[in-house]
Amino acid sequence: YLDESLAQMRDDAEWWRWEAQEMWRWNAGERKDWAAALWKAQLERRAERTRARDEQEAREALAEEELRREAAKQEKYGAMYGRRRDGTGAEAADRLGYYHLLGLNVGGKDGHPPEHFTQDAIKKAFREQALRLHPDRHIGEAAKKEAAAQFRKLQQAYQILRDPR
């Protein structure tokens, strides 16, 4: 719908044209019909603008109410409310935690879809994590065992993610 100031300028221009149109050949009957048609068109446009404005406000109110309800449900049921559990959402793409093991952020507010990561990005992330988790970089028997277990998980994740199938 038109902005009110633009609509008013348009209405004013129509009336100026009506007043200035061939003033020397003034035919009262035609002028009266023209004025009536002009007035009717302006009323219809004004009603249309009001209707469009009301519809827009109603849509915005519905959207705000929906957001408020979703926030209340998420607050009541926790952060996992509303997430898909059928294995098709972005969070489900990393349900085994492979991207997380490589340090790649999948899904969520700041994450990327799995298709976002190239083979080079996966390879680079694996190498960084492999340097960090390699058992030879840790001191002590318990630390080496823990690192070895994590390193095996990391290798498994990389084996699966690097296969493009």
Side-chain angles (χ1 to χ4, degrees):
Y1 58 91
L2 286 176
D3 184 26
E4 289 299 322
S5 61
L6 293 176
Q8 186 62 45
M9 287 176 23
R10 179 180 178 181
D11 292 349
D12 291 345
E14 288 176 342
W15 284 111
W16 290 330
R17 196 173 17 216
W18 179 83
E19 291 173 347
Q21 186 76 20
E22 299 182 15
M23 293 175 69
W24 57 89
R25 292 188 342 178
W26 191 277
N27 181 338
E30 289 179 7
R31 295 293 255 190
K32 185 177 179 182
D33 292 343
W34 186 10
L38 186 59
W39 182 252
K40 182 179 177 185
Q42 288 179 353
L43 285 177
E44 288 173 358
R45 284 197 303 264
R46 207 169 282 134
E48 178 61 32
R49 283 194 311 271
T50 303
R51 224 179 355 264
R53 187 181 317 107
D54 291 344
E55 289 174 2
Q56 179 68 26
E57 289 171 359
R59 280 193 299 271
E60 289 172 359
L62 283 174
E64 286 177 14
E65 178 65 19
E66 182 65 27
L67 286 174
R68 188 193 62 75
R69 285 182 182 174
E70 287 298 317
K73 287 179 183 177
Q74 197 160 18
E75 183 178 319
K76 182 176 180 180
Y77 299 113
M80 290 302 292
Y81 174 77
R83 294 204 178 160
R84 298 178 75 162
R85 296 180 185 194
D86 60 355
T88 60
E91 293 84 9
D94 194 27
R95 67 180 174 272
L96 297 177
Y98 292 150
Y99 289 98
H100 180 71
L101 280 172
L102 291 174
L104 301 173
N105 192 5
V106 175
K109 186 175 181 182
D110 299 325
H112 300 287
E115 304 84 37
H116 173 79
F117 299 111
T118 63
Q119 292 298 315
D120 292 334
I122 292 172
K123 187 177 194 178
K124 181 181 176 190
F126 169 73
R127 288 184 177 179
E128 290 172 0
Q129 293 297 324
L131 286 174
R132 189 175 68 80
L133 293 175
H134 198 279
D136 291 344
R137 297 193 57 136
H138 295 275
I139 299 173
E141 193 62 33
K144 284 189 180 217
K145 281 187 176 185
E146 177 66 28
Q150 291 221 344
F151 190 72
R152 282 192 295 275
K153 287 181 185 177
L154 180 68
Q155 286 177 319
Q156 181 184 11
Y158 179 62
Q159 289 293 325
I160 289 173
L161 293 178
R162 76 176 181 164
D163 187 9
R165 290 187 280 150

